[in-house]
Amino acid sequence: MGFFKTNMLKSLEWVDSSSDNIVYKYPMDGRQIQYGSKLTVRESQVAVFLNKGKIADVFGPGMYTLQTSNLPIFTQLMSWPYGFKSPFYADVYFVNTKQFTNQKWGTSNPITMRDKEFGTIRLRGYGNYAFKVSDAETFLKEIFGTNPSFTTEDISSYLKSIIVSSISDTIAESKISALDIASNLIEFSKVATESLSDDFANLGLKLTKLVIENISFPEEVEKAIDTRSSMGVLSDKMDTFVKYQSAHAIRDAANNPGAAGLGSQIGTGVALGEIIKESVKGSKSTESENADVKFCPSCGAGNPKKAKFCVECGGKLIEKGKCPKCGAEVSAKAKFCPECGEKLK
């Protein structure tokens, strides 16, 4: 009688004290489950019964008395057409269905993209995500199999590679400029989350949150952005800049007692201001000229604004449309708006 008492399980439950344990196999140690035993499944848990390696019954949160009515599939697998009263053996897995937060992701290698302003550039990014088990049966079949335990560390590398790959594809398909991505991280995170939903669902998981904390550019691109920003400030305040240069030249000349020094300093200051002013005018005129030119999407040749076919290759020139959300001009082949990120039909 002592042997039977020590080899019978009357109660099954799992109290999880960790923060990263996804699956826990109940230690049977050769013991059998007594008919009428109690099974306790806590909130954010699922209990899975296996018979000879096959999934039998799945229990959600609650307290159960294990008998024929609660184990219909198991009873059928064991060929008990009229129910059972004797002890039985089964593998029992508890699956944690809570959210696992603050999981890190990052690009181990740069993401290469073609940008309309900077050409081909490489981006790096990092952030965090959260996920949960949405289908314990699929998760068992596809991921953890019959391991006695399974933690977030066992799957984090795999999920990270799926996330980085999907973000790379989303960037390529969106045709959004690198600057627009960097300034609209929240909107871009939502688009990436939607594209990842099917990949996670196929594993029995759900991506509950994806955060892109930062998108960084190569050093040379950052310098180009800084230079362009500086020139933008100068072009808006060119008259003030010319006066500023002239005032400095006069001040420096006042400290020079020679008359020749006065004329030289003033002339240098004014000349420098005029040179910069003319260069900015030239850049503005170039931009104006480019606005009247339509570029061929096939060969890149410039064409008159009203042209319908390319003068170089004869290809059809694509007309631009407008974003239904913000009204910005977009290419007819664009899938996302370069201004607001709206998905285009």
Side-chain angles (χ1 to χ4, degrees):
M1 293 300 294
F3 173 80
F4 284 107
K5 286 182 179 179
T6 56
N7 283 271
M8 294 296 168
L9 287 173
K10 296 183 179 179
S11 177
L12 295 92
E13 62 179 331
W14 174 45
V15 179
D16 181 26
S17 59
S18 68
S19 60
D20 61 350
N21 209 346
I22 305 177
V23 180
Y24 172 77
K25 182 180 181 181
Y26 194 88
M28 302 300 295
D29 300 327
R31 295 174 292 178
Q32 291 182 312
I33 302 173
Q34 185 174 331
Y35 177 84
S37 296
K38 299 295 183 182
L39 170 67
T40 303
V41 184
R42 290 175 167 78
E43 288 292 343
S44 73
Q45 288 183 355
V46 170
V48 183
F49 278 62
L50 271 71
N51 172 246
K52 297 179 182 180
K54 294 183 179 180
I55 296 177
D57 295 285
V58 180
F59 296 86
M63 181 176 287
Y64 305 89
T65 300
L66 299 180
Q67 50 193 9
T68 304
S69 59
N70 284 336
L71 292 163
I73 301 176
F74 192 93
T75 303
Q76 183 179 0
L77 291 174
M78 294 296 290
S79 300
W80 289 328
Y82 304 106
F84 65 94
K85 298 290 183 179
S86 60
F88 62 94
Y89 183 84
D91 289 321
V92 182
Y93 290 85
F94 286 91
V95 181
N96 219 333
T97 58
K98 70 176 184 179
Q99 286 196 69
F100 294 94
T101 60
N102 201 30
Q103 305 297 308
K104 304 295 184 182
W105 70 269
T107 53
S108 54
N109 296 310
I111 300 173
T112 303
M113 68 170 291
R114 191 184 300 276
D115 188 82
K116 62 183 181 181
E117 296 184 48
F118 301 106
T120 302
I121 61 174
R122 295 185 176 185
L123 304 177
R124 289 185 180 273
Y126 64 85
N128 61 76
Y129 65 97
F131 73 96
K132 61 185 294 186
V133 176
S134 59
D135 188 335
E137 187 173 342
T138 301
F139 186 60
L140 184 148
K141 292 179 180 178
E142 298 294 332
I143 301 296
F144 78 86
T146 57
N147 292 326
S149 65
F150 197 85
T151 66
T152 55
E153 186 177 355
D154 296 322
I155 197 175
S156 60
S157 296
Y158 181 55
L159 295 181
K160 171 186 169 183
S161 64
I162 294 177
I163 290 174
V164 173
S165 177
S166 179
I167 288 177
S168 301
D169 290 342
T170 304
I171 289 176
E173 293 176 0
S174 65
K175 305 296 183 182
I176 302 175
S177 69
L179 289 176
D180 290 334
I181 293 175
S183 60
N184 295 278
L185 294 181
I186 295 178
E187 291 78 7
F188 189 75
S189 295
K190 293 179 181 179
V191 175
T193 301
E194 292 177 1
S195 66
L196 281 162
S197 60
D198 290 340
D199 294 326
F200 273 69
N202 292 334
L203 303 176
L205 302 174
K206 180 180 179 181
L207 180 63
T208 57
K209 188 73 173 180
L210 174 65
V211 177
I212 301 176
E213 295 183 21
N214 183 58
I215 295 289
S216 60
F217 304 99
E219 184 178 354
E220 58 271 17
V221 175
E222 291 183 351
K223 289 181 179 179
I225 293 173
D226 292 340
T227 302
R228 181 174 296 184
S229 299
S230 300
M231 291 305 296
V233 173
L234 291 177
S235 63
D236 292 337
K237 303 294 182 181
M238 186 51 60
D239 290 336
T240 304
F241 179 72
V242 172
K243 295 176 182 178
Y244 173 79
Q245 288 294 111
S246 300
H248 269 270
I250 295 173
R251 184 199 63 185
D252 293 339
N255 296 326
N256 190 338
L262 175 64
S264 175
Q265 292 287 346
I266 294 176
T268 301
V270 174
L272 178 60
E274 290 297 327
I275 290 172
I276 297 177
K277 188 175 181 179
E278 289 300 321
S279 67
V280 173
K281 284 183 178 180
S283 65
K284 286 187 176 180
S285 63
T286 303
E287 292 177 358
S288 177
E289 291 174 2
N290 288 337
D292 295 331
V293 176
K294 184 185 295 184
F295 292 96
C296 176
S298 300
C299 65
N303 295 268
K305 188 174 182 180
K306 295 183 178 181
K308 295 184 178 180
F309 294 90
C310 178
V311 296
E312 292 291 334
C313 66
K316 187 174 181 180
L317 301 177
I318 301 174
E319 297 293 336
K320 292 184 177 180
K322 287 190 176 182
C323 173
K325 185 176 180 180
C326 67
E329 285 192 353
V330 295
S331 170
K333 291 185 176 181
K335 296 183 178 180
F336 293 86
C337 176
E339 293 294 332
C340 65
E342 176 75 6
K343 189 173 182 179
L344 305 174
K345 295 184 180 180

